[in-house]
């Protein structure tokens, strides 16, 4: 099936995964998305990825499976083609994970507020794997499989009825919309980090694939 030997299976407990290979289907949980605007599918880190040019986005209708409370993991490959905002997984007040241009990897929610991971991680034109975890005891930010920030925090995220959005910026004008890729995106109800050890081996250099049965 043309999958490299170095590829790895998705993390356990995953609830949704959008490989972005020509459509916005969720190959795990059936939470299929809809592209709004001229979203392109273009060669990316692993097969294809969503390509956005400023206002386009992928919208996934609200379901209970996409809500987070005490645990959340979001991960995927990203590439910025401009120093601008990219929403990786935005479910309004429940959670929002995004890149604030090349400088910051951020998380926000109504229950916690807004916190960035680390600055200067995402040069324009380069693919990086990002992962964010929340487990009601702490927040962890990973880039290319490496822990870049860990923060102790105990809180419970509150579910809402918002759709999940991938791709567009914050409606910033003056050319500051996003132009770049998300090369597949995944959402899991369980954490991938335990004691500071990320359970995605070699994730900075390999791809993820769906198990074929």
């Amino acid at each position: 099936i043309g999958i490299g030997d170095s590829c790895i299976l998705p993390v356990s407990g995953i609830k949704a995964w959008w490989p972005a290979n020509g459509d916005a289907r969720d190959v795990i949980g059936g939470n299929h998305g809809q592209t709004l605007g001229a979203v392109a599918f273009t060669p990316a880190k692993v097969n294809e990825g969503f390509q956005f040019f400023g206002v386009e986005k992928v919208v996934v209708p609200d379901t209970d499976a996409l809500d987070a409370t005490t645990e959340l993991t979001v991960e995927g490959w990203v590439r910025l083609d401009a120093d601008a905002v990219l929403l990786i997984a935005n479910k309004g007040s429940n959670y929002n994970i995004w890149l604030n241009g090349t400088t910051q990897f951020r998380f926000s929610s109504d229950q916690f507020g807004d916190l960035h991971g680390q600055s200067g991680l995402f040069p324009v034109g380069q693919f990086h794997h990002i992962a964010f975890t929340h487990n009601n005891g702490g927040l962890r930010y990973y880039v290319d499989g490496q822990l870049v920030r860990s923060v102790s925090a105990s809180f419970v995220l509150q579910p809402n009825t918002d759709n999940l959005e991938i791709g567009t910026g914050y409606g910033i004008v003056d050319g500051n919309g996003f132009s770049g890729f998300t090369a597949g995106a995944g959402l899991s109800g369980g954490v991938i980090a335990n004691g500071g050890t990320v359970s995605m081996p070699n994730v900075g250099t390999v791809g993820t694939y769906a198990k074929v049965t």
Side-chain angles (χ1 to χ4, degrees):
I1 57 179
I3 296 173
D5 291 339
S6 61
C7 289
I8 59 175
L9 286 167
V11 296
S12 62
I14 193 168
K15 290 187 175 182
W17 179 23
W18 301 272
N21 292 327
D23 56 38
R25 291 188 311 117
D26 167 17
V27 298
I28 297 291
N31 302 289
H32 304 314
Q34 182 178 26
T35 58
L36 297 183
V39 177
F41 296 91
T42 191
K45 183 68 175 180
V46 182
N47 294 326
E48 293 183 325
F50 299 121
Q51 186 172 17
F52 307 97
F53 303 95
V55 296
E56 302 82 4
K57 58 186 173 183
V58 174
V59 177
V60 184
D62 172 58
T63 67
D64 290 345
L66 301 179
D67 283 323
T69 54
T70 60
E71 295 184 334
L72 172 67
T73 296
V74 175
E75 59 98 8
W77 291 96
V78 296
R79 188 186 92 185
L80 290 175
D81 287 343
D83 187 0
V85 170
L86 164 64
L87 299 189
I88 299 165
N90 176 25
K91 203 169 185 302
S93 61
N94 190 209
Y95 56 85
N96 186 10
I97 294 95
W98 80 100
L99 301 185
N100 188 22
T102 61
T103 59
Q104 293 176 340
F105 176 17
R106 304 184 75 96
F107 161 79
S108 67
S109 73
D110 276 10
Q111 289 68 49
F112 177 77
D114 180 3
L115 183 72
H116 70 82
Q118 183 173 332
S119 299
L121 297 174
F122 306 99
V124 169
Q126 297 181 14
F127 277 107
H128 293 279
H129 187 276
I130 61 92
F132 167 84
T133 71
H134 153 62
N135 67 353
N136 199 27
L139 309 176
R140 295 184 177 93
Y141 300 76
Y142 296 87
V143 178
D144 296 331
Q146 301 300 311
L147 180 66
V148 298
R149 188 169 187 184
S150 179
V151 178
S152 296
S154 181
F155 59 95
V156 177
L157 298 171
Q158 296 301 310
N160 61 24
T161 58
D162 292 354
N163 295 329
L164 176 70
E165 295 185 355
I166 302 168
T168 192
Y170 263 47
I172 300 173
V173 295
D174 295 328
N176 286 322
F178 171 74
S179 177
F181 293 105
T182 56
L187 175 70
S188 173
V191 295
I192 56 172
N194 190 354
T197 301
V198 65
S199 62
M200 294 184 294
N202 301 320
V203 76
T205 57
V206 304
T208 310
Y209 66 92
K211 185 176 182 181
V212 177
T213 57

